[in-house]
Amino acid sequence: MNPSTLIGMIASVVLLAVLIFFAADDPWLFIDLPSLGIVLVGTMAATFLSYPMKEVLRVFGLIRIVMRNERLYTQRDIEELVDISRLWMRDDPVAVERALPRVNNPFLRTGVQLVIDRIPEEDILDLLQWRISRMKAKEAAEAQLFRVMASYAPAFGMIGTLVGLINLMDIVGSGDLVAIGRHLAVALMTTFYGILLANLVFKPVAVKLERRTEQRVVLMNMVLQGISMMCAKRSPSLMRETLHSFVAHVDDEIHDPLASTAAAKGAGPARPPQR
């Protein structure tokens, strides 16, 4: 399991346990299945109305992706690309063909195959960039699905609250304060469940998926740069150092935005790498 996901789940459970069992006179008041049903069923109904069946059913698979500790084998891809580039520098396409099935990254394998087939560099880069754009669009739509669900959940929580308040108004005239208090607590539970699901389930999953896409795009752009250098028959040693520097530079931009901003101001406008 993904360590950060596990930590977040444990922290959420502990927080809720503390709030429910130590800050409430009756912890069972926070368990109301009809209220939870209104939020869950209403959210899923609105999601099915908004998206095709095929996309909604992918929700369960995407949750498994978030739970899984998915690794990006950046160093392995760099070494495979450098090894194949070394064979290509020797003008030995047969050896490259034999080494190609051992390449694990399908995106890298596609790029190398196009180079072997003597496709012009510009066409190769256009195709690979199109694949990156397609992957970004697909995964952005998947993350947006959870953001939409995060907006629906509190709305259906409010609907449940309104239903409860309508029932409450029906018994106000009786003067039974115990019944009034019980109905008011149940009415507020749907809002509680809606906000809880939106901020502890749907939004975190969306952010995790977006972050995963960012990391995958970095890796694919690194491969794109390596394929470009392979087409130009650059030195394998230069390729290794360039790709390591590329990944480190992007990593700094992602994890230390203040430092990268200051560096950008000092260095002036960035220039694209020369091919």
Side-chain angles (χ1 to χ4, degrees):
M1 178 179 284
N2 191 309
S4 65
T5 302
L6 179 62
I7 292 172
M9 291 173 60
I10 294 174
S12 301
V13 171
V14 171
L15 174 63
L16 291 176
V18 170
L19 290 176
I20 292 175
F21 290 101
F22 295 99
D25 295 332
D26 185 5
W28 293 105
L29 290 176
F30 287 85
I31 299 176
D32 187 70
L33 295 181
S35 298
L36 181 60
I38 290 174
V39 175
L40 286 178
V41 175
T43 300
M44 292 307 299
T47 305
F48 274 105
L49 287 171
S50 304
Y51 287 89
M53 173 76 73
K54 183 179 179 180
E55 294 186 31
V56 178
L57 293 180
R58 279 186 53 79
V59 165
F60 305 102
L62 294 172
I63 291 177
R64 285 197 299 270
I65 289 175
V66 170
M67 301 290 291
R68 189 173 64 233
N69 187 20
E70 187 177 46
R71 296 180 58 189
L72 296 178
Y73 297 94
T74 306
Q75 184 60 40
R76 182 195 66 188
D77 291 341
I78 291 176
E79 293 304 322
E80 289 179 346
L81 189 51
V82 169
D83 290 342
I84 289 178
S85 178
R86 187 174 289 112
L87 296 174
W88 186 248
M89 286 279 291
R90 298 173 186 167
D91 290 324
D92 191 356
V94 176
V96 177
E97 287 275 8
R98 288 199 300 266
L100 194 57
R102 297 194 296 271
V103 175
N104 294 279
N105 187 331
F107 183 74
L108 171 56
R109 191 163 54 243
T110 299
V112 173
Q113 184 63 62
L114 292 173
V115 174
I116 296 173
D117 293 340
R118 307 289 180 174
I119 306 297
E121 178 184 357
E122 183 178 351
D123 293 339
I124 294 175
L125 298 184
D126 286 343
L127 175 61
L128 296 182
Q129 286 170 347
W130 176 80
R131 289 188 60 174
I132 294 174
S133 300
R134 187 185 64 176
M135 187 273 293
K136 287 174 61 178
K138 174 178 172 292
E139 297 191 358
E142 294 171 347
Q144 181 63 23
L145 172 62
F146 283 92
R147 290 200 175 274
V148 169
M149 294 174 69
S151 67
Y152 287 152
F156 280 97
M158 286 301 301
I159 290 175
T161 298
L162 292 175
V163 172
L165 290 177
I166 291 172
N167 293 330
L168 176 64
M169 293 298 104
D170 187 51
I171 63 169
V172 165
S174 67
D176 187 350
L177 295 181
V178 175
I180 292 174
R182 184 171 61 252
H183 279 78
L184 182 59
V186 171
L188 294 176
M189 283 306 300
T190 52
T191 298
F192 173 76
Y193 284 134
I195 294 175
L196 196 67
L197 288 172
N199 292 282
L200 278 182
V201 179
F202 299 138
K203 283 184 181 179
V205 170
V207 172
K208 185 80 76 173
L209 290 173
E210 290 167 352
R211 179 61 182 144
R212 173 177 177 266
T213 301
E214 290 176 4
Q215 293 172 333
R216 285 155 63 85
V217 168
V218 168
L219 178 59
M220 294 174 80
N221 279 319
M222 180 204 72
V223 171
L224 185 69
Q225 179 66 24
I227 295 296
S228 175
M229 297 183 72
M230 182 177 171
C231 290
K233 292 193 173 183
R234 300 291 179 86
S235 164
S237 299
L238 176 62
M239 177 187 291
R240 177 184 286 109
E241 294 304 318
T242 300
L243 297 184
H244 278 302
S245 300
F246 178 88
V247 175
H249 174 65
V250 174
D251 193 56
D252 286 343
E253 287 185 342
I254 293 174
H255 295 293
D256 193 6
L258 296 179
S260 62
T261 301
K265 289 181 178 178
R271 297 181 180 179
Q274 298 295 324
R275 294 194 296 270

